[in-house]
Amino acid sequence: MSIAKSQSAYEYIKELILDGSLAPRADISETRLQQELGVSRTPVREALRRLQDEGFVETYARKGTFVADVTIETVQDIYETRLLIEPFMTKNAVDTVPRDWMKDLRCRLLEAPPLQGDENILAIMKMDTELHTTICSCCPNRFLRESLRLVYEHDRRIRLKTRKNYDQVYFSQKEHVLILDTMLEGDKEKAEQLSREHVIHSRDLTYKSLGFNMTD
């Protein structure tokens, strides 16, 4: 029962961080979380220790626990990992991702409403997450799957910070359609190339949006 409560607390707190309800550098109240979850202190603390190990929170003696900030080092690490793994995954996913799903997501991306307001932008971002996590889930290599699972969770926090950059969201939407088109055509080499170009383009726009100096 304790393990189940700890897992539930972990998932609940992490989602608060990923959807922005707990913003970067926010002070995390263990008492409030205990009340919201209806659990004792132990499951909450176990969940926070796990989230600290994954880089989502930071704990300081006599100060408390805070949501980790999105730093330039975090952004660099995320894009470096994506660039190393994502093109390979996309290439190999051509034969494993369900075609019906690819066609459906392609249609939804093309039919998405104009980028006006948070609701529409968040809808596009949700499809962005769906594309990458589905491709990832079809990879037979569990170590690569687990590596990108954590990366994509941290990436959600970055995209929340850059969602006001309409150009970035728009170009990402167009590039995802092109990637899906290529995957549907069965062109593995082109899918790999487009995936690599997409990660680089996303990285550069993210650096610019966050005001970071460009690095290669």
Side-chain angles (χ1 to χ4, degrees):
M1 182 65 69
S2 177
I3 294 176
K5 288 181 178 179
S6 176
Q7 177 66 21
S8 179
Y10 163 79
E11 293 174 356
Y12 177 78
I13 300 168
K14 182 170 69 173
E15 188 57 33
L16 290 178
I17 294 171
L18 297 183
D19 71 12
S21 298
L22 284 173
R25 298 193 294 272
D27 190 350
I28 297 176
S29 169
E30 292 186 18
T31 301
R32 182 174 67 83
L33 290 171
Q34 290 170 42
Q35 294 171 346
E36 291 177 0
L37 290 162
V39 298
S40 65
R41 181 173 60 182
T42 299
V44 171
R45 290 201 165 177
E46 289 176 349
L48 290 175
R49 279 196 292 270
R50 186 173 170 188
L51 290 166
Q52 181 176 346
D53 289 341
E54 294 181 346
F56 292 109
V57 306
E58 297 171 341
T59 301
Y60 301 94
R62 296 182 296 278
K63 290 185 179 181
T65 301
F66 302 83
V67 178
D69 198 4
V70 176
T71 65
I72 185 171
E73 290 80 14
T74 300
V75 176
Q76 287 174 328
D77 288 349
I78 285 172
Y79 278 102
E80 183 176 89
T81 305
R82 287 186 61 186
L83 194 56
L84 287 169
I85 300 176
E86 204 168 291
F88 170 81
M89 266 194 177
T90 304
K91 175 182 179 179
N92 287 279
V94 170
D95 293 330
T96 57
V97 175
R99 291 182 61 82
D100 287 345
W101 171 82
M102 288 193 282
K103 292 176 181 178
D104 175 66
L105 181 59
R106 180 184 182 278
C107 288
R108 283 186 280 135
L109 285 166
L110 289 173
E111 295 171 0
L115 297 175
Q116 297 174 351
D118 269 3
E119 185 176 348
N120 291 346
I121 292 173
L122 291 173
I124 294 295
M125 289 169 57
K126 186 176 181 180
M127 286 188 272
D128 181 323
T129 299
E130 180 183 349
L131 171 66
H132 291 299
T133 56
T134 301
I135 289 175
C136 180
S137 70
C138 291
C139 176
N141 187 316
R142 65 186 178 94
F143 296 110
L144 293 182
R145 286 199 311 270
E146 182 61 21
S147 295
L148 276 196
R149 179 196 65 79
L150 184 58
V151 163
Y152 287 151
E153 288 176 343
H154 279 282
D155 191 52
R156 281 180 61 186
R157 303 183 66 214
I158 295 173
R159 285 187 283 118
L160 273 179
K161 289 179 72 73
T162 61
R163 69 184 185 277
K164 297 299 184 182
N165 186 336
Y166 285 15
D167 285 344
Q168 182 165 355
V169 179
Y170 173 71
F171 280 116
S172 179
Q173 182 181 0
K174 286 183 60 179
E175 289 170 350
H176 286 156
V177 171
L178 289 174
I179 290 171
L180 287 168
D181 283 342
T182 304
M183 293 178 70
L184 285 166
E185 292 167 2
D187 192 333
K188 293 184 177 182
E189 300 304 324
K190 188 175 179 181
E192 181 180 28
Q193 175 189 342
L194 289 177
S195 176
R196 182 176 294 105
E197 291 173 356
H198 168 65
V199 175
I200 293 172
H201 194 189
S202 176
R203 179 200 64 188
D204 294 348
L205 287 171
T206 297
Y207 284 3
K208 181 178 179 180
S209 182
L210 295 176
F212 296 157
N213 291 326
M214 301 291 291
T215 58
D216 293 324

